[in-house]
Amino acid sequence: MKRQVAILTPPGRSAIATLICRGENVDTAVSEFFTPKALRDFSSYRVGQIVFGSWTQPSGQSEDVVVCRKSESTVEVNCHGGTAAVDAIESNLKSKGFESITWKQWLDSGDLDSIRRKAAELLVACSTLPTSLHMLDQQHGALSEELCAISGLLVDGAVDEAKTRLHHLYDSSSAGLHLVKPFDVVIAGFPNAGKSSLLNQILGYDRAIVAEIPGTTRDVLTGLTAINGWPVSMRDTAGIRESDEDVEQQGIHKSYHQVAKCDLVVWVDAINQDWIEPEVELSDSTLFVFNKSDLLCESEIDVALGSRPAGVVTSAVSGEGLNDLLQQVITSLLPAMPVTGQPLLFTEGQKSKVIDWLTMLESDHRDTVMQQITALLSS
Ligand SMILES: Nc1nc2c(ncn2[C@@H]2O[C@H](COP(=O)(O)OP(=O)(O)O)[C@@H](O)[C@H]2O)c(=O)[nH]1
Ligand SMILES: [Mg+2]
């Protein structure tokens, strides 16, 4: 077995860095530099046991490290996150015949199946704790195990149950695909309704220009945020209405375009004005927001709501209704919030495979589906 070492933490300074090495007689090689605090022989520790000690270089310089045998032939070394300690440990191991490889090469040559490997690779692209935890569940095998179970059902001839579970998996992609890619929310509405003001409130800083002259947001501004730990990209648009001005026309054209293709349209309307039906065709995934509630008293708001579709009442000035708005945005985007450990389809490729399998099962190609699942889990 080849001797290899990889640095698992990203380059640069951090509190802790992790290296991993494997190969023939890995214990012997590590023991040349590592002395456990308990002064026991390193090879006498069980797999999984965490051992504190010091790593001493040939120059005599010593470093506190935490070492763990991950398997009979794999050892993980955690050291100070500065580059000096990492470089020294890597070069000490290289002097013992360890080839230095990247973390991706490490993953590719490990024993994870292709789905778990992909999850491990994408984990670094998850930007929030909840999405990272869901991706980690997939790295730990949530999706692989579900596919294995579905394949087992097909072997047993329980095709209907297999189909039901594939349908559930398909549904999970609406959350799974957004573990990495933010949801795309477009804020649309007539000029001066308070779209840019609301966006600024949500993002917490003045990203969009707010002006008293209608039609100021000439271009699309995008801000990235997280709602309940899910990444959401919010796009402010030029107001939707006829305009003679060329520049504004261009901005308006962009908003029409965006209303058509996004995960959710938030249509902002000023509640102190008469209700006007949106001129653009809005999809089912439209959330209505009635802004500027601070300009009306409660009874006036009730009257104004009487002529409008259901929606959220907000004020970008007082902050009223903003939390409610965020909650409604996330429930519109994710009607079924995934739970811990749930299998999720997290790539477009996985989603289209599930669609293919469902089609194949309709036309009785059970064997092909089983073969494809097996291939995916064994690669
Ligand atoms: N009183 C009040 N004024 C608001 C509110 N939201 C926005 N405005 C004001 O309405 C004007 C237009 O706001 P802006 O965000 O630029 O609207 P947009 O054209 O839809 O982007 C600005 O003068 C804002 O200060 C609100 O909730 N209450
Ligand atoms: Mg604006």
Side-chain angles (χ1 to χ4, degrees), residues 191-197 208-211 215-219 236-239:
N192 225 27
K195 299 178 294 297
S196 304
S197 305
I209 311 159
V210 177
T216 312
T217 309
R218 298 289 160 85
D219 215 338
D236 186 16
T237 59

Side-chain angles (χ1 to χ4, degrees), residues 187-200 208-217 236-239 268 272 290-295 314-319:
I187 304 182
F190 296 112
N192 225 27
K195 299 178 294 297
S196 304
S197 305
L198 280 174
L199 180 73
N200 288 336
I209 311 159
V210 177
E212 300 195 14
I213 315 139
T216 312
T217 309
D236 186 16
T237 59
V268 183
N272 62 328
F290 308 116
N291 190 41
K292 305 201 183 184
S293 65
D294 56 292
L295 296 179
T314 62
S315 164
V317 169
S318 73

